[in-house]
Amino acid sequence: MSSKKNKDVAASLDEQQFQTAGQVYLRLLSYVKPYWFYFSLSILGFIIFAGSQPAFAVLMEYLINAIPKNDPSDRWLIPVWLMSIFAVRGLGHFIGSYYSSRVSLAIVHTLRTQLFNQLTKMPGYYFDNNNSGHLISRITFNVTQVTGAATEAFKVIVREGFTVIGLLGYLFYQDWKLTLIFLGVGPLIGVLVWQVGLRLRRLSAKVQGSMGDVTHIASEMINGYRVMRSFGGQAYESKRFDDASTKNTKQNLKIVTTSAINTPVIQFLVAGAMGFVMFLALTYMGTSDPGAFVAYITAAGLMPKPVRQLSEVNSTIQKGIAAANTIFMQLDEKVEVDSGSHVTTRVRGELNIKHLNFSYDGENAVLKDINLHIKPGQTVALVGRSGSGKTTLASLIPRFYQHADGDILLDDVPIQDYTLASLRDQIALVSQQVTLFNDTVYNNIAYGTLSDAPEEAVVAAAKAAHALEFINDMPEGLQTLIGEDGVRLSGGQRQRLAIARALLKDAPLLILDEATSALDTESERGIQEALEAVMKNRTTLVIAHRLTTIENAHHIVVMDAGKIVEQGNHQSLIALRGYYAKLHAMQFEEETE
Ligand code: ADP
Ligand code: MG
């Protein structure tokens, strides 16, 4: 019962995929539009190439008919003919291949950059819900599969397709009745190709998925190699990778098996039809005109090769369609909502949060009825156990996630009414996890819109963040390359670069999410002074790791389990003897130890 149901589901899935396959191909073709000129040139080239095929049959006819006449006067025409055919054919091949590759490589470039640019605009939850291996493998692997369909398959289809059409035309011209019989196998081949296509597409989608797993596991291991080594995870990682790679291999093997069976079956059908046609031709045509007969057989004999190539290319096309399908699905994903139109050069920095509720998954509330008012220029500190929702609250302000319930107002304007660019322009954020790029120290500080900041400003920011001390010790100072994600830097050094970046931005709203947690107490104190100077004339939300760093904040907000449980200044909170006092006492103990 249930297995029958499963089959029904599988069947309807096939139908769906088949329907979309046509749409996918049409959509892929729409990418050809800008290159219609090159595209036409390539078709012209392949027509020339294909048109030279029947010329062989014509030459054969000439030869056969010339033998009995034994007239040497125009025999020299044969090498001229042969060379001309090959010259024209070669030219056609070049024009066809060159221009079709030009078109399809351009399409691949377009798809790849579209995917990448789309990712730069995806909302945060998209990255939370899709693993990076699959996203990367779409850009690197799926796109090459589309190249296969677009370049190789297209070339073969046009070239061999025209060859078949040209040969068929010649066969019809020679003897249309026989040729109709020959064409009788057409529908059989059609059904076969269609069925095999469905299977290949389904398998290819799986191969692409497992390729994503392979990429994902590899990149996870590479990024986490220290943990793997220190916890003896080699065997686990090797097994995980072996499983994913084996799965991929098996699925690929199924594709190969399917298309390897497909081709000989089609060839068998064509051979059967040809044998039958030869039999008929020999019976009805052979004696009357040997030249025409041999020409006919030659042309018919040229058929299996292009038919074979066409049937082989089916798997490439299906792979391409399956790949294009996932690519298009990603391109159709909604990008970050940016429907606001409010633009400002510099806000005063009044932040007002009212009855804010938030949940990542729509079920578990992470923030519950948060109310918070920060006047321009004030410093508010958020403290609380880890997991209490501090980072979440901070990430709602630059709209990394979209809140659905409650209001966040910046200068009395709801943040969703700002354009994303204008809103984020107002905020300098040092997040808990510092991200650095494989570039120079200088370019990491002057990143993004800061890239045209004057050099003095960059140096000043580095100095204020106490980063210049270690930067000057580097071999090339600010121009030193820091390696992928700053692997050559210590945690504290990374944080100082992140702080320098935020200081350089000089935005009216500063958000520091445990920005100094990796620093030792002494360097933290040094930076603290610099930060306090910076905080003076801007609104600051500081999430504190060590409570000692926020004792001077205007207002301290204590969070627990997504709620604000206490607020006030340091003295009043200590006097309250609640959460804050407890946290404070614990840290004080740790420090005196
Ligand atoms: P804090 O910064 O106070 O340590 P967070 O804001 O990081 O706390 O986390 C609050 C809660 O939200 C935690 O329970 C955490 O598991 C959950 N959470 C954090 N980030 C995500 C995310 N991207 N998707 C789903 N849940 C998340
Ligand atoms: Mg946090």
Side-chain angles (χ1 to χ4, degrees), residues 429-436 444-445 461-462 464-467 470-471 482 485-486 489-503 512-521 523-524 527 531 543 545-546:
L429 171 80
V430 180
S431 55
Q432 212 166 355
Q433 268 135 8
V434 175
T435 302
L436 297 172
N444 265 285
I445 298 175
H466 287 247
F470 75 84
I471 294 171
I482 58 167
D485 200 15
L489 300 176
S490 76
Q493 290 172 333
R494 294 160 56 87
Q495 280 194 332
R496 280 182 267 179
L497 287 188
I499 292 170
R501 195 189 274 163
L503 295 184
L512 302 168
D513 189 353
E514 307 197 1
T516 53
S517 58
L519 296 178
D520 55 275
T521 317
S523 348
E524 188 173 33
I527 293 189
L531 284 178
I543 299 173
H545 168 70
R546 286 195 198 94

Side-chain angles (χ1 to χ4, degrees), residues 123-388:
Y125 68 82
Y126 189 79
F127 292 96
D128 294 348
N129 296 333
N130 287 278
N131 84 44
S132 61
H134 285 245
L135 297 179
I136 292 168
S137 140
R138 242 169 249 171
I139 296 177
T140 54
F141 180 68
N142 284 25
V143 167
T144 61
Q145 300 265 290
V146 177
T147 338
T151 329
E152 283 317 310
F154 172 75
K155 222 183 279 183
V156 172
I157 287 182
V158 177
R159 196 181 58 205
E160 306 305 324
F162 278 117
T163 306
V164 168
I165 291 171
L167 288 174
L168 275 178
Y170 181 74
L171 291 178
F172 265 107
Y173 165 76
Q174 285 286 356
D175 191 323
W176 62 272
K177 277 183 227 148
L178 269 184
T179 308
L180 273 183
I181 296 172
F182 188 54
L183 276 185
V185 302
L188 270 177
I189 294 180
V191 170
L192 192 73
V193 167
W194 178 57
Q195 280 302 324
V196 165
L198 284 181
R199 181 173 160 80
L200 286 176
R201 209 149 57 232
R202 213 171 30 213
L203 286 171
S204 302
K206 284 189 189 159
V207 164
Q208 282 149 21
S210 60
M211 205 54 214
D213 292 340
V214 167
T215 314
H216 170 69
I217 295 167
S219 80
E220 225 168 42
M221 189 281 286
I222 292 165
N223 290 325
Y225 78 96
R226 285 170 208 269
V227 177
M228 175 194 69
R229 294 223 179 117
S230 54
F231 287 89
Q234 282 100 333
Y236 168 76
E237 291 297 337
S238 295
K239 170 152 188 344
R240 210 154 70 107
F241 189 79
D242 192 272
D243 288 349
S245 181
T246 305
K247 198 169 148 202
N248 182 269
T249 308
K250 280 189 183 151
Q251 284 159 345
N252 265 319
L253 210 55
K254 281 189 191 166
I255 290 189
V256 171
T257 315
T258 307
S259 48
I261 293 175
N262 179 40
T263 302
V265 170
I266 289 179
Q267 281 207 297
F268 180 77
L269 290 175
V270 174
M274 243 183 68
F276 191 58
V277 164
M278 276 182 190
F279 168 78
L280 291 176
L282 212 52
T283 316
Y284 298 109
M285 205 181 145
T287 44
S288 59
D289 182 351
F293 170 73
V294 173
Y296 189 89
I297 295 300
T298 305
L302 286 171
M303 284 288 265
K305 185 175 163 264
V307 169
R308 191 196 73 223
Q309 293 197 330
L310 282 175
S311 68
E312 275 173 355
V313 93
N314 192 17
S315 78
T316 315
I317 297 174
Q318 303 306 339
K319 281 180 203 167
I321 289 181
N325 196 23
T326 32
I327 290 175
F328 290 147
M329 261 157 57
Q330 181 176 329
L331 289 179
D332 290 341
E333 287 282 342
K334 287 202 179 69
V335 296
E336 276 187 305
V337 179
D338 190 8
S339 53
S341 57
H342 189 71
V343 175
T344 171
T345 43
R346 198 173 174 91
V347 292
R348 284 176 291 120
E350 181 174 14
L351 190 67
N352 208 345
I353 298 175
K354 293 180 187 165
H355 301 295
L356 179 69
N357 292 295
F358 180 75
S359 154
Y360 283 103
D361 52 10
E363 277 175 37
N364 305 306
V366 174
L367 296 178
K368 298 165 202 159
D369 197 31
I370 303 288
N371 291 285
L372 190 62
H373 184 202
I374 314 182
K375 294 198 196 99
Q378 265 196 342
T379 297
V380 167
L382 276 181
V383 301
R385 289 190 302 201
S386 86
S388 55

Side-chain angles (χ1 to χ4, degrees), residues 317-567:
I317 297 174
Q318 303 306 339
K319 281 180 203 167
I321 289 181
N325 196 23
T326 32
I327 290 175
F328 290 147
M329 261 157 57
Q330 181 176 329
L331 289 179
D332 290 341
E333 287 282 342
K334 287 202 179 69
V335 296
E336 276 187 305
V337 179
D338 190 8
S339 53
S341 57
H342 189 71
V343 175
T344 171
T345 43
R346 198 173 174 91
V347 292
R348 284 176 291 120
E350 181 174 14
L351 190 67
N352 208 345
I353 298 175
K354 293 180 187 165
H355 301 295
L356 179 69
N357 292 295
F358 180 75
S359 154
Y360 283 103
D361 52 10
E363 277 175 37
N364 305 306
V366 174
L367 296 178
K368 298 165 202 159
D369 197 31
I370 303 288
N371 291 285
L372 190 62
H373 184 202
I374 314 182
K375 294 198 196 99
Q378 265 196 342
T379 297
V380 167
L382 276 181
V383 301
R385 289 190 302 201
S386 86
S388 55
K390 307 179 299 288
T391 299
T392 304
L393 180 58
S395 63
L396 291 184
I397 299 168
R399 282 174 59 194
F400 291 158
Y401 294 90
Q402 187 64 50
H403 65 282
D405 195 19
D407 289 308
I408 303 177
L409 306 162
L410 183 60
D411 276 17
D412 294 323
V413 179
I415 53 169
Q416 60 272 21
D417 289 353
Y418 286 85
T419 65
L420 275 180
S422 181
L423 175 70
R424 290 173 183 170
D425 232 18
Q426 309 302 319
I427 303 169
L429 171 80
V430 180
S431 55
Q432 212 166 355
Q433 268 135 8
V434 175
T435 302
L436 297 172
F437 299 88
N438 189 9
D439 204 337
T440 58
V441 173
Y442 186 96
N443 289 341
N444 265 285
I445 298 175
Y447 178 74
T449 51
L450 305 172
S451 59
D452 42 15
E455 189 171 343
E456 308 87 72
V458 177
V459 174
K463 188 154 187 254
H466 287 247
L468 216 49
E469 299 140 37
F470 75 84
I471 294 171
N472 283 337
D473 285 343
M474 293 174 128
E476 282 156 74
L478 277 163
Q479 296 306 325
T480 312
L481 286 168
I482 58 167
E484 190 181 321
D485 200 15
V487 283
R488 288 178 214 140
L489 300 176
S490 76
Q493 290 172 333
R494 294 160 56 87
Q495 280 194 332
R496 280 182 267 179
L497 287 188
I499 292 170
R501 195 189 274 163
L503 295 184
L504 179 62
K505 186 160 178 187
D506 186 31
L509 191 59
L510 180 66
I511 301 177
L512 302 168
D513 189 353
E514 307 197 1
T516 53
S517 58
L519 296 178
D520 55 275
T521 317
E522 195 184 320
S523 348
E524 188 173 33
R525 238 166 243 152
I527 293 189
Q528 201 59 38
E529 282 166 26
L531 284 178
E532 268 164 26
V534 176
M535 289 173 187
K536 267 202 188 97
N537 38 31
R538 72 197 72 220
T539 312
T540 310
L541 186 66
V542 49
I543 299 173
H545 168 70
R546 286 195 198 94
L547 299 184
T548 46
T549 58
I550 47 112
E551 282 174 9
N552 297 329
H554 296 106
H555 198 69
I556 297 170
V557 173
V558 187
M559 288 184 68
D560 193 58
K563 275 187 288 212
I564 295 181
V565 286
E566 282 173 5
Q567 46 188 317

Side-chain angles (χ1 to χ4, degrees), residues 5-16:
K5 210 172 179 184
N6 279 345
K7 264 183 204 154
D8 289 349
V9 171
S12 73
L13 228 147
D14 276 353
E15 229 143 80
Q16 255 180 17

